[in-house]
Amino acid sequence: MTVQATTEPLVLAVPSKGRLQENAAAFFGRAGLKLAQLSGARDYRGTLVGVPGVEVRYLSASEIASQLASGAAHLGVTGEDLIRETLPDVEGSVELLTPLGFGNATVVVAVPQAWIDVRAMSDLDEVASEMRLRQGRRLRIATKYVNLTRRFLARHGIADYRIVESLGATEGAPAAGSAEIIVDITTTGATLAANALKILDDGIILRSEANLVASLKAPWGPNQREALRAVLGRISAEERARTTREVRAGMPEGGEIDLASLAALHEAELPYGAPKGLDGEIVMRCPAEAVFGLCDALVRASARSVSVRRIDYAFAAENPLAERLLARL
Ligand SMILES: Nc1ncnc2c1ncn2[C@@H]1O[C@H](COP(=O)(O)OP(=O)(O)OP(=O)(O)O)[C@@H](O)[C@H]1O
Ligand SMILES: O=P(O)(O)OC[C@H]1O[C@H](OP(=O)(O)OP(=O)(O)O)[C@H](O)[C@@H]1O
Ligand SMILES: [Mg+2]
């Protein structure tokens, strides 16, 4: 009988439900990372097709935040709001690798629209003090963002309040009489409006979006580091490709062109190096915004033809996301 060497996998935590699920799967898909569920839609574990050493775990967005904090997961996709709410020491326990452009939500302080004189946090401070003095009771704030709320109110010097923990439908609390005001996330503002609530002018606690987050507490052995490089290499390659354009130009025989300064002027690079003689094809890459400037300059430098392409992936020797994380481990 042979004993197989067990190699601990890198644990990648992916949202299993809710708003982040579909977008997260699409994000990995763009990076060429196909999620495969182990045995049908009810199994909460899976793998990444073609990337060995990775175990995918399907969890709720808030569980992902706790597992990154404890080190049970190495990498995960979750909202920054949940990271900042759940982790006592964000900087010391995780690295926010990159924002993902979805799951945008703003954590806000909202009060009844009927409170016409209450527009800012300083007004709220007055309301809270008056309630305490005149009615002998504290302002009640309904929220599931207990820690974010406490920190934000402390920064505004507000101490006369009580938190009523809410597990959902927070916006309904003032009308239901279980709290005077709320702290919750909003995206379109529709739920606040439907419940006759308004955001205080300086009541924005955090602008959040989904992030790719790495745990500093997880065990990062050699196998997990190798899997990390593979996963983040693809993610970087897709991001680099999406934001750059490849420019190919046919240069005339005997043409004279200072490729290095042309490249520098247009934030371009020569990913495959400068050709020996300049008559022939040159390949450059530049940021998408800089592409027409570069094309014009090449034409002025007597290029015979210039074409621009989008590319799917741009792999490079550098792996900036992985390097940033590895430097902290
Ligand atoms: N309306 C929204 N628009 C965009 N992103 C949102 C919205 N609501 C929540 N999010 C983001 O998605 C995260 C998870 O929210 P989601 O509603 O999917 O799960 P949940 O509320 O934690 O779970 P559940 O409501 O099932 O208990 C939020 O913390 C936030 O980062
Ligand atoms: O500003 P809006 O676009 O109206 O979105 C905000 C609402 O979306 C979220 O609720 P969700 O639908 O996730 O229900 P939940 O409270 O059960 O999480 C959030 O808690 C708000 O209630
Ligand atoms: Mg929700």
Side-chain angles (χ1 to χ4, degrees), residues 188-200:
T188 63
T191 311
L192 291 175
N195 287 280
L197 299 171
K198 63 174 181 182
I199 303 172
L200 294 181

Side-chain angles (χ1 to χ4, degrees), residues 116-117 181 264 290:
I116 46 177
D117 291 335
I181 73 166

